[in-house]
Amino acid sequence: MFNPSSDDVRRFFCEVFRKQRANDILTPLEAMAADWVRHHPEHHDVLADVESALGRNYSVEGAQANPFLHLSMHLSIDEQISIDQPPGIRDAATALTLKLDDAHAAQHEIMECLGEMIWTAQRNGTPPDGLAYVEAIRRRIR
């Protein structure tokens, strides 16, 4: 099972950004990541300096958004939608995208639902509830 460290994730996104700027060939996963990097120019300075990125602390107490977590969540949601796991997420994501007329905005709404599901599971010491996650997305469509 793929289980990258936080440094691996940071190196991956920094390398994607480097390759993107150099017009180098990207793997399919890198191409997906590059699309999200393009949507987030506010993270480009961080992505441009891998050594600085590796040394940064994105603790909750620091109240600084973690661009690597954010971009990783975009990729995770893309994967969930592509395989329709949890079941129903593809239809819910499509409907939300149509409602908002903005795929990026829809992803951010879905991201909030994903974060809520993870937080609830951690708080309760239970497995993530995929059905509740999809229902939370559907509530944003109504």
Side-chain angles (χ1 to χ4, degrees):
M1 182 167 184
F2 186 62
N3 190 17
S5 70
S6 61
D7 283 355
D8 293 336
V9 171
R10 291 174 187 209
R11 282 187 189 96
F12 170 77
F13 282 109
C14 289
E15 179 64 5
V16 164
F17 185 60
R18 185 200 65 73
K19 287 172 100 174
Q20 184 181 48
R21 289 185 313 170
N23 290 317
D24 287 350
I25 295 172
L26 301 169
T27 68
L29 180 60
E30 289 171 338
M32 288 173 58
D35 285 341
W36 290 116
V37 167
R38 263 187 226 99
H39 282 314
H40 288 286
E42 70 275 18
H43 300 319
H44 289 179
D45 287 346
V46 172
L47 296 170
D49 184 351
V50 67
E51 293 308 316
S52 176
L54 291 172
R56 286 197 175 184
N57 180 6
Y58 293 102
S59 65
V60 174
E61 296 80 24
Q64 185 179 18
N66 182 334
F68 304 100
L69 174 60
H70 186 87
L71 293 168
S72 294
M73 288 179 78
H74 275 302
L75 287 180
S76 176
I77 292 165
D78 277 349
E79 179 67 10
Q80 291 169 0
I81 292 167
S82 77
I83 63 171
D84 198 30
Q85 186 61 15
I89 193 168
R90 182 183 299 137
D91 289 341
T94 299
L96 184 58
T97 299
L98 290 171
K99 176 187 177 191
L100 298 177
D101 194 31
D102 184 337
H104 188 214
Q107 274 251 345
H108 280 244
E109 294 280 328
I110 295 167
M111 195 177 292
E112 288 183 29
C113 298
L114 176 59
E116 180 182 321
M117 177 193 65
I118 293 168
W119 180 82
T120 299
Q122 288 176 337
R123 184 189 68 203
N124 296 335
T126 58
D129 185 343
L131 295 175
Y133 170 40
V134 172
E135 184 53 35
I137 297 166
R138 287 185 179 129
R139 280 194 300 274
R140 291 173 184 253
I141 301 164
R142 299 180 192 131

